[in-house]
Amino acid sequence: MNGGPMSEFTGFPPEALVFYDGLEADNSKAYWTDHREMYANAVRGPMLALLDALEPEFGEPHVFRPNRDVRFSKDKSPYKTAIGAHNEHGGYVQVSAAGLMVATGYWQTAPDQVERLRAAVADDVTGPQLEAVVAGLRKDGYEISGNRLKTHPRGYDADHPRIELLRHRTMTAHREFGEPSWLAEPACAERVAAAWRDMRVLRDWLDRHVGPTRLPQDRRR
């Protein structure tokens, strides 16, 4: 992924969370420059090794850049206070001062995807299937979230039996693991993989009934 050999994944050391504790207190270029080596050794290096370990099962990895896009933001803090990454067929993984978070789902949707999502939720076969998926994930300790309308969507009754799901424009599942002892151990890779496997039922439902947008680029918002 970075053009060179990967180190074996041994976990995220405590210094990874220490780095982000400090960045939250001093989100500046000076802090980043002074702690660049800590970031490389305790944060980015372990994340690359984790993704490399997960790639055979979950596909091509990608690490998000640490710099924030501040062009249209009132907050001009230059750096993200977490490292985020994903594997193409797995999901999203993040480390911050709060520890580890693992997720999957559809974070962004175009209008045609939202239309297909709502149609599938309203359907008397596929809708109950999603209800069962959501209930099962919640029972196992996962949270279901996403961009949601405050009211019912146009064309659907406010008293629809699945109105809470119909309000979703995007849909994701995630779990906050915090800072368990295994975060700093090689077993962390299997914990992330197990969470992605658990949450795959949601991703599979979305892929089957929503799928990628079919709209041209200029009509996706």
Side-chain angles (χ1 to χ4, degrees), residues 105-119:
Y106 281 27
W107 283 268
Q108 294 180 318
T109 50
D112 63 323
Q113 292 174 295
V114 176
E115 184 178 333
R116 290 194 296 274
L117 172 60
R118 288 182 179 148

Side-chain angles (χ1 to χ4, degrees), residues 43-123:
V43 179
R44 182 173 172 80
M47 180 62 83
L48 292 175
L50 171 64
L51 298 178
D52 186 54
L54 296 170
E55 185 172 4
E57 180 176 354
F58 296 104
E60 184 177 355
H62 174 78
V63 179
F64 294 101
R65 62 198 302 268
N67 303 80
R68 295 181 63 249
D69 184 352
V70 300
R71 291 173 298 172
F72 308 108
S73 174
K74 292 181 180 179
D75 179 4
K76 299 301 180 182
S77 302
Y79 301 104
K80 299 171 184 174
T81 54
I83 184 169
H86 70 87
N87 283 72
E88 183 181 7
H89 303 301
Y92 178 79
V93 57
Q94 174 180 291
V95 173
S96 68
L100 177 73
M101 189 271 282
V102 183
T104 196
Y106 281 27
W107 283 268
Q108 294 180 318
T109 50
D112 63 323
Q113 292 174 295
V114 176
E115 184 178 333
R116 290 194 296 274
L117 172 60
R118 288 182 179 148
V121 170
D123 184 88

Side-chain angles (χ1 to χ4, degrees), residues 43-202:
V43 179
R44 182 173 172 80
M47 180 62 83
L48 292 175
L50 171 64
L51 298 178
D52 186 54
L54 296 170
E55 185 172 4
E57 180 176 354
F58 296 104
E60 184 177 355
H62 174 78
V63 179
F64 294 101
R65 62 198 302 268
N67 303 80
R68 295 181 63 249
D69 184 352
V70 300
R71 291 173 298 172
F72 308 108
S73 174
K74 292 181 180 179
D75 179 4
K76 299 301 180 182
S77 302
Y79 301 104
K80 299 171 184 174
T81 54
I83 184 169
H86 70 87
N87 283 72
E88 183 181 7
H89 303 301
Y92 178 79
V93 57
Q94 174 180 291
V95 173
S96 68
L100 177 73
M101 189 271 282
V102 183
T104 196
Y106 281 27
W107 283 268
Q108 294 180 318
T109 50
D112 63 323
Q113 292 174 295
V114 176
E115 184 178 333
R116 290 194 296 274
L117 172 60
R118 288 182 179 148
V121 170
D123 184 88
D124 287 338
V125 174
T126 56
Q129 290 173 354
L130 179 61
E131 279 187 308
V133 165
V134 167
L137 287 172
R138 285 175 171 156
K139 182 180 179 182
D140 290 339
Y142 296 93
E143 295 183 46
I144 305 299
S145 56
N147 181 349
R148 296 174 24 152
L149 295 177
K150 293 181 179 179
T151 60
H152 61 93
R154 186 178 304 170
Y156 296 93
D157 294 335
D159 60 353
H160 191 284
R162 290 181 292 281
I163 189 60
E164 292 304 316
L165 293 174
L166 282 168
R167 288 183 175 138
H168 280 263
R169 293 183 55 83
T170 64
M171 187 171 293
T172 59
H174 73 277
R175 185 168 183 175
E176 300 273 1
F177 286 98
E179 190 182 359
S181 59
W182 49 258
L183 182 62
E185 300 172 356
C188 177
E190 178 52 35
R191 297 282 188 153
V192 173
W196 281 350
R197 293 183 200 117
D198 286 346
M199 295 184 288
R200 185 177 285 158
V201 288
L202 176 62

